[in-house]
Amino acid sequence: MMSADTSTAKVPPQRPSSPAAAPAPGRAPRSLGSRFSGAATPWLLLAPTMAVLAVVLGYPLVRLAVLSFQNFGQSQLWGFQPTEWLGFDNFSTVLSDSVFWDVVVRTIVFTVGAVGFTMVFGLLIAMLLIRVSGWVKTLMNIALVASWAMPIVVAVTVFKWMFDTDYGVVNWLLTKVGLDFDRHNWFIDSTQGFTIIMALVVWGAVPFVAITLHAGLTQVPKELEEAARMDGAGAFKVFRYVTIPVLKPIIVMLATLSVIWDMGVFAQVFLMRGGHPEPEYQLLTTYSYDKAFVVNDYSMGSAIALLTVLLLLGVIAVYMRQMLKIGEVE
Amino acid sequence: MTDSAAPRETAVTEPPAPAAPAPKIRTKAPRPKGRSLYNLIGVAVATILGFPVYWMVNTALKSDKDAISTDPKFLPFPVTLDNFKRALEISDFWGPVFRSLIIASTTVAIGLVVGLLAALAISRFAFRGRKVVIVGILAVQMVPLVAMIIPVFLLLNDLGQYNKLSGIILTYLTFVLPFTVWTLRGFIVNIPKELEESAMVDGCTRTGAFVRVVFPLLAPGMVATAIYGFIQAWNEYLYALQLLSQTNTTATVWLGNFTTTRGTEYAPMMAGSTMMAIPVVIFFLLVQRRIASGLTAGAVKG
């Protein structure tokens, strides 16, 4: 779900859209909505969307919460045994399990790393884009959009191939440079393995960040930068005190989005490990999936998924606040 | 596309990229001296970013022997299409592709119709609770799909929709619909209200004004939104993996299984990957600017 997982929110330019728009000149227009009058119209228009979302999102979210407090496994699914309420038992089991905390720490470290690299590389590439010649810019944009557009499953298979132990081009390149990487298996050690998974995630996520920040950079008023330079600020100071503050709303938005996406990384780990991630490769998403669909303990899986969502709530709140601050939601 | 990774090729001197959503293009660098160094770094970055895509196509076009040679070649000569044939033989390819096409197009069709109505409501009507609805639609996009798979699986089980295309189409609306509403809203807000108003002055009804004035202006945006939604549905992996059986699956799961079962046959796997990716990349190139530009408009105030 990445990269383009649920996707780019659009922030169109603001239009003051007061409902009671200025009356048109000339003869009075027919009152707006003479066909469908009244306050019901917008709700009628919204009804189908609300109905669909209630079924596919609202109900599952409630069900997720309910499951977390129940004992629901294979036998309950087939109706052999009644579902029981367990109160907080699932949570106390999960929270007292050291394996769970290992997974939490691993997920947080992975997310922080992936988001950090994505933002730094994205910003550097965006700044490079406004400094290179036209033909280089074209070249970079082609590469950016091509890697952005790659379906995640395809990207995983390509990375698997590039880092293959016996025939991977990366081992060959590193050996050529004089390092001993002949027949090197990148996945024996999970730190190395996660480095590759992180590279894959960052590679898929950087284009969106770079292109968005580049668009933002082109909107930084030149006068501001020039004024700063006239006042004797060096390149770094201009960047630190002019560029970054102006870009800050976009940076906050992109960083929070990236956290949400990178916490939700599933296919990259799942497929890299051939559909069975080892214990040292489990992230919260795969861990919850395993509990539900490998061990068939849907309740435990739900409890873990719910805890993941709770972990994310703060980040989601920051993102929403930023969107409101931008004045998008008028 | 592959030459993005081959800097040795002669450079195409063209006006700035069409993919740059930049309204103002800086024509003069502050210090022309640094320009060539930046260009060098830029070419290196493009090479690294484009390399996986190039390597996929390169491997797909090689013979088996060349693909797993200990001294890999950077150009796939002699070119062969055997790997594509092999990829199609290994397991049913057209079935999954066909299912992916049905799922993605139906999801997008429903999403567009339903989403357009909602987008109209929040961009053209003032009503109490509008802001709440907007915040809701934004927030809904933030729920990680992975967290929802367990209850969604049980829901489809209860509805008798497990392993049915109709069931997966319903679940795909989870991410296609909010995105569609939000994106279309952005396009509608950009169409001046005055156009509708003057049509209504001329005697159109509100609906008539929409159909004759707004809808034609909205069409390109709807096409872009549809293509982007289609790509998202086409690429989805987890729901397709869990909600459809192995014999009734989609193209992404087909490729994923390719990885797990025939992990050693890399050349056909790259051919399969190429077939999955190229149409997506081409469509994405077409709509990328429309969808992604405007993201920052209004966010940066001069």
Side-chain angles (χ1 to χ4, degrees):
Chain A
M1 255 147 341
M2 138 2 236
S3 18
D5 305 8
T6 25
S7 201
T8 58
K10 278 191 45 114
V11 183
Q14 261 320 91
R15 299 177 46 81
S17 54
S18 65
R27 69 196 171 91
R30 313 159 53 136
S31 70
L32 286 188
S34 54
R35 272 285 304 280
F36 338 72
S37 53
T41 315
W43 292 109
L44 283 175
L45 293 173
L46 283 169
T49 296
M50 297 240 177
V52 170
L53 291 182
V55 174
V56 295
L57 247 154
Y59 172 80
L61 268 177
V62 173
R63 182 84 199 261
L64 183 74
V66 168
L67 278 168
S68 313
F69 294 96
Q70 288 177 334
N71 152 28
F72 196 93
Q74 194 72 327
S75 21
Q76 282 78 13
L77 180 68
W78 298 108
F80 300 145
Q81 282 175 17
T83 315
E84 292 164 11
W85 287 93
L86 298 180
F88 283 91
D89 286 6
N90 290 327
F91 291 102
S92 52
T93 310
V94 171
L95 294 174
S96 59
D97 180 3
S98 67
V99 173
F100 169 77
W101 289 106
D102 288 349
V103 173
V104 170
V105 170
R106 195 177 298 127
T107 306
I108 291 175
V109 170
F110 175 81
T111 305
V112 169
V115 172
F117 282 119
T118 303
M119 294 307 295
V120 169
F121 286 138
L123 188 58
L124 288 174
I125 291 171
M127 286 164 66
L128 197 57
L129 276 170
I130 55 175
R131 286 172 171 78
V132 295
S133 316
W135 65 270
V136 179
K137 198 171 172 173
T138 309
L139 208 63
M140 286 174 75
N141 270 307
I142 292 171
L144 283 168
V145 177
S147 45
W148 185 1
M150 287 280 268
I152 287 179
V153 180
V154 171
V156 176
T157 55
V158 174
F159 269 67
K160 270 186 95 148
W161 165 227
M162 284 180 8
F163 287 91
D164 184 66
T165 303
D166 298 323
Y167 309 112
V169 68
V170 175
N171 281 353
W172 176 81
L173 277 172
L174 289 170
T175 310
K176 264 267 190 263
V177 180
L179 301 164
D180 181 22
F181 274 90
D182 192 39
R183 303 269 157 123
H184 178 71
N185 185 331
W186 289 87
F187 287 94
I188 285 178
D189 171 29
S190 66
T191 313
Q192 283 188 23
F194 265 120
T195 307
I196 291 168
I197 292 168
M198 198 182 286
L200 164 65
V201 170
V202 170
W203 176 76
V206 154
F208 168 63
V209 172
I211 287 172
T212 307
L213 284 174
H214 173 245
L217 278 172
T218 57
Q219 293 181 3
V220 174
K222 283 215 185 48
E223 301 77 25
L224 278 181
E225 293 187 354
E226 272 158 24
R229 260 188 227 107
M230 306 267 276
D231 292 343
F236 177 76
K237 276 205 162 147
V238 172
F239 173 75
R240 169 76 184 74
Y241 294 106
V242 178
T243 316
I244 291 288
V246 175
L247 285 181
K248 200 181 153 209
I250 310 180
I251 291 177
V252 171
M253 212 174 73
L254 289 172
T256 43
L257 269 180
S258 302
V259 170
I260 292 160
W261 289 337
D262 291 350
M263 281 273 282
V265 159
F266 174 87
Q268 289 91 332
V269 178
F270 185 82
L271 284 167
M272 270 286 182
R273 303 315 306 130
H276 306 285
E278 298 84 345
E280 69 269 23
Y281 276 101
Q282 295 283 11
L283 296 176
L284 277 167
T285 49
T286 55
Y287 191 58
S288 154
Y289 178 91
D290 263 23
K291 281 272 187 280
F293 299 110
V294 179
V295 191
N296 286 321
D297 189 344
Y298 301 106
S299 288
M300 211 49 102
S302 296
I304 294 162
L306 197 66
L307 289 167
T308 311
V309 175
L310 290 177
L311 260 179
L312 271 176
L313 273 184
V315 183
I316 294 175
V318 172
Y319 171 81
M320 297 295 298
R321 245 193 65 215
Q322 193 60 50
M323 289 298 274
L324 290 165
K325 252 216 288 222
I326 287 173
E328 175 44 34
V329 184
E330 69 286 350
Chain B
M1 225 188 72
T2 52
D3 53 2
S4 60
R8 286 180 303 277
E9 307 244 328
T10 47
V12 198
T13 339
E14 268 183 352
K24 289 179 275 182
I25 288 155
R26 190 180 285 221
T27 43
K28 276 210 192 101
R31 289 175 313 168
K33 264 188 200 161
R35 178 57 70 95
S36 53
L37 174 66
Y38 286 133
N39 281 350
L40 195 69
I41 301 172
V43 170
V45 168
T47 309
I48 293 167
L49 283 175
F51 185 82
V53 184
Y54 152 76
W55 200 245
M56 168 183 85
V57 178
N58 181 25
T59 308
L61 296 170
K62 284 180 186 176
S63 69
D64 282 2
K65 249 200 353 271
D66 286 352
I68 56 168
S69 135
T70 45
D71 207 3
K73 282 197 296 210
F74 279 74
L75 288 172
F77 297 118
V79 169
T80 166
L81 294 180
D82 285 355
N83 295 322
F84 290 88
K85 253 193 19 226
R86 187 86 189 87
L88 298 181
E89 286 164 5
I90 282 172
S91 63
D92 177 30
F93 170 75
W94 296 112
V97 166
F98 192 59
R99 276 187 289 272
S100 276
L101 287 173
I102 292 175
I103 292 166
S105 45
T106 316
T107 307
V108 166
I110 298 171
L112 269 188
V113 173
V114 174
L116 177 62
L117 298 179
L120 274 176
I122 58 176
S123 55
R124 280 293 192 258
F125 288 85
F127 56 95
R128 197 178 296 222
R130 174 165 162 276
K131 198 165 170 175
V132 177
V133 171
I134 293 181
V135 171
I137 285 169
L138 262 179
V140 147
Q141 292 190 66
M142 297 298 117
V143 179
L145 274 191
V146 199
M148 308 278 294
I149 183 69
I150 299 166
V152 164
F153 168 77
L154 297 176
L155 171 71
L156 290 199
N157 246 342
D158 294 345
L159 297 175
Q161 290 292 313
Y162 171 77
N163 198 19
K164 291 209 172 88
L165 295 193
S166 48
I168 201 124
I169 287 164
L170 181 68
T171 58
Y172 275 14
L173 286 171
T174 315
F175 56 93
V176 171
L177 186 56
F179 158 79
T180 306
V181 173
W182 191 246
T183 314
L184 287 180
R185 170 190 176 271
F187 287 120
I188 296 170
V189 167
N190 278 326
I191 297 170
K193 263 204 162 98
E194 293 73 26
L195 293 175
E196 272 160 287
E197 281 159 7
S198 53
M200 283 157 75
V201 170
D202 294 342
C204 276
T205 59
R206 186 168 193 162
T207 317
F210 174 78
V211 170
R212 285 175 206 187
V213 178
V214 179
F215 196 72
L217 292 172
L218 193 59
M222 286 186 71
V223 171
T225 310
I227 291 177
Y228 200 81
F230 187 94
I231 291 174
Q232 286 185 332
W234 172 270
N235 288 351
E236 205 284 329
Y237 177 75
L238 174 64
Y239 276 21
L241 171 79
Q242 201 53 48
L243 305 175
L244 295 170
S245 71
Q246 289 294 351
T247 50
N248 188 35
T249 192
T250 65
T252 43
V253 181
W254 174 85
L255 187 62
N257 289 346
F258 209 117
T259 337
T260 49
T261 54
R262 328 273 317 203
T264 46
E265 291 212 60
Y266 274 116
M269 196 161 96
M270 289 303 108
S273 299
T274 305
M275 288 189 281
M276 281 251 352
I278 297 301
V280 172
V281 172
I282 290 169
F283 276 121
F284 194 85
L285 279 166
L286 293 176
V287 298
Q288 184 265 125
R289 269 180 79 200
R290 273 193 167 280
I291 298 288
S293 71
L295 182 80
T296 54
V300 176
K301 293 204 172 69

